[in-house]
Amino acid sequence: MTRDYEPSKSIIRKYADLLVHYGCNAGKGLKKGQTVLLTAHEDAKPLYMATREAIWNAGGNVIGRYIPEEDRGPASTFLLKKGSNAQLTFFPKEYYKSLIETVDQSIFIISDDPDALEGVDPKKISIAKKTMGSYSKMRRQKEQQGKFKWTLCYYGNQKEAKEAGLTYKEYWRQIIRLNF
């Protein structure tokens, strides 16, 4: 989708620095040597790339999770629509256990698609969420021990701007006004 507006590189860099230097460690910033699980949807690529760079510049490590536009649900939208129960309940426990043991921080750049789960059976969404419940539990346990922190931020997209009755540029002006 072509956009009639892009936030400036300066704004994106400031946003990334905000996430890394203030969003991590409950406002204290990323510590050198910490590992960050960085997650973003495809249309948030500018902020994903800038945040990855800011993490490295701060002396941190990145485990990246870059999600294609089509995979906006609790699992791949294709999997939710076409997958079997066996596929929806597949949970690689050792992978997620190792991931949680490795990361100190999580930064998730949210870029919602209000239509992402349109036409998906709610029962399948529930199965996928239940399957990932074990991962959530592992993450919460580490968080309760004070060994894991997370940060969420928002990257505006055209669908959300339209839902709000704004142009993409107006929508981003709101995001900038609220954050900077």
Side-chain angles (χ1 to χ4, degrees):
M1 179 180 283
T2 55
R3 300 176 184 167
D4 58 357
Y5 171 78
E6 288 292 333
S8 70
K9 287 182 180 182
S10 172
I11 288 292
I12 295 298
R13 219 176 5 263
K14 285 179 186 178
Y15 206 169
D17 286 341
L18 180 71
L19 292 171
V20 173
H21 299 293
Y22 301 99
C24 290
N25 285 311
K28 296 176 185 164
L30 186 69
K31 295 176 187 171
K32 189 174 184 177
Q34 286 189 314
T35 300
V36 180
L37 174 60
L38 177 62
T39 305
H41 293 107
E42 186 174 351
D43 59 358
K45 182 179 179 180
L47 185 55
Y48 175 87
M49 300 299 284
T51 304
R52 187 176 70 165
E53 187 175 312
I55 293 166
W56 286 331
N57 286 338
N61 304 302
V62 177
I63 295 176
R65 186 166 174 254
Y66 189 65
I67 305 168
E69 185 176 339
E70 297 79 11
D71 286 351
R72 299 258 187 159
S76 164
T77 305
F78 178 84
L79 182 63
L80 287 169
K81 288 182 179 180
K82 308 281 185 180
S84 68
N85 279 353
Q87 290 170 315
L88 289 170
T89 58
F90 172 72
F91 182 75
K93 181 179 179 180
E94 292 305 314
Y95 166 80
Y96 284 110
K97 181 179 176 192
S98 177
L99 180 63
I100 287 299
E101 288 172 357
T102 303
V103 298
D104 305 294
Q105 305 280 322
S106 173
I107 297 175
F108 195 117
I109 303 169
I110 301 166
S111 186
D112 288 334
D113 177 352
D115 303 321
L117 299 177
E118 192 172 295
V120 176
D121 181 351
K123 289 177 187 171
K124 287 191 169 193
I125 296 169
S126 180
I127 291 168
K129 283 185 177 185
K130 184 177 180 183
T131 298
M132 291 307 294
S134 296
Y135 171 66
S136 297
K137 183 178 178 182
M138 287 185 247
R139 196 179 61 229
R140 272 193 312 277
Q141 286 173 338
K142 188 170 181 178
E143 185 179 359
Q144 289 167 352
Q145 296 168 355
K147 297 177 182 177
F148 178 79
K149 303 263 189 274
W150 51 271
T151 301
L152 302 174
C153 74
Y154 191 76
Y155 190 91
N157 63 53
Q158 293 193 84
K159 283 187 175 184
E160 286 288 316
K162 186 177 178 181
E163 289 268 322
L166 301 170
T167 67
Y168 188 55
K169 186 174 184 176
E170 291 168 335
Y171 197 61
W172 260 98
R173 283 187 183 149
Q174 293 292 322
I175 293 170
I176 292 166
R177 185 179 62 77
L178 293 171
N179 290 289
F180 307 104

